[in-house]
Amino acid sequence: MFLAMNRFKIARGREEEFVDHWRRRESYLQEVPGFVRFHLLQGAETEEYTLFASHTEWTDEAAFTAWTQSEAFMKAHANAGKSARELYLGPPQLELFESVL
C-alpha cells in the first residue's frame, strides 16, 4: 500500500467553501489502475487557518507514479486551485508514505 497526502492550510472562515470545492471537483481517480480510495480530512485549527489533507491510497508507488503522468491527472489538475486560490495560505505540502506493516 502507498499513501499520498497533500496538506492544505485554509484561511479561517473559508472551510466550507474549500470542502465544497473538493466535493464538486472531478478527480478521475476511479479511471486509474491501482487507485484504492480517497479521503479529504479536516484537522487542527489555529487563529489563521484550518488544516486539511487530501489522502489517496494506492496499491503501490508505481500506480501512484503512473497516475501523476496520466491523462486523468492532467484533466483533474487542469483548473485545480484556480477558482479557490484565495482559500489557501501557502502551497499544499505533498507527503508520501509506503506501508511497512
Side-chain angles (χ1 to χ4, degrees):
M1 177 178 56
F2 189 78
L3 302 174
M5 297 180 72
N6 268 305
R7 296 166 55 95
F8 305 91
K9 292 180 179 177
I10 302 304
R12 289 297 304 271
R14 309 294 296 271
E15 295 89 352
E16 281 303 313
E17 194 176 344
F18 177 73
V19 171
D20 189 54
H21 172 77
W22 279 84
R23 189 175 285 124
R24 291 181 285 114
R25 181 178 175 205
E26 179 56 64
S27 70
Y28 304 97
L29 287 169
Q30 276 66 23
E31 300 174 6
V32 181
F35 170 73
V36 177
R37 69 179 56 92
F38 167 85
H39 294 282
L40 182 63
L41 309 171
Q42 184 171 340
E45 298 176 354
T46 71
E47 290 184 17
E48 294 179 48
Y49 63 84
T50 300
L51 183 63
F52 284 85
S54 65
H55 166 220
T56 53
E57 185 177 328
W58 301 87
T59 54
D60 54 35
E61 185 175 4
F64 170 75
T65 300
W67 174 67
T68 64
Q69 300 167 358
S70 72
E71 184 177 331
F73 181 89
M74 300 304 173
K75 289 190 303 186
H77 291 85
N79 295 312
K82 287 183 181 177
S83 62
R85 233 176 227 141
E86 69 278 0
L87 306 178
Y88 300 88
L89 299 181
Q93 294 180 305
L94 179 64
E95 298 176 332
L96 304 172
F97 301 89
E98 188 169 336
S99 178
V100 294
L101 289 178

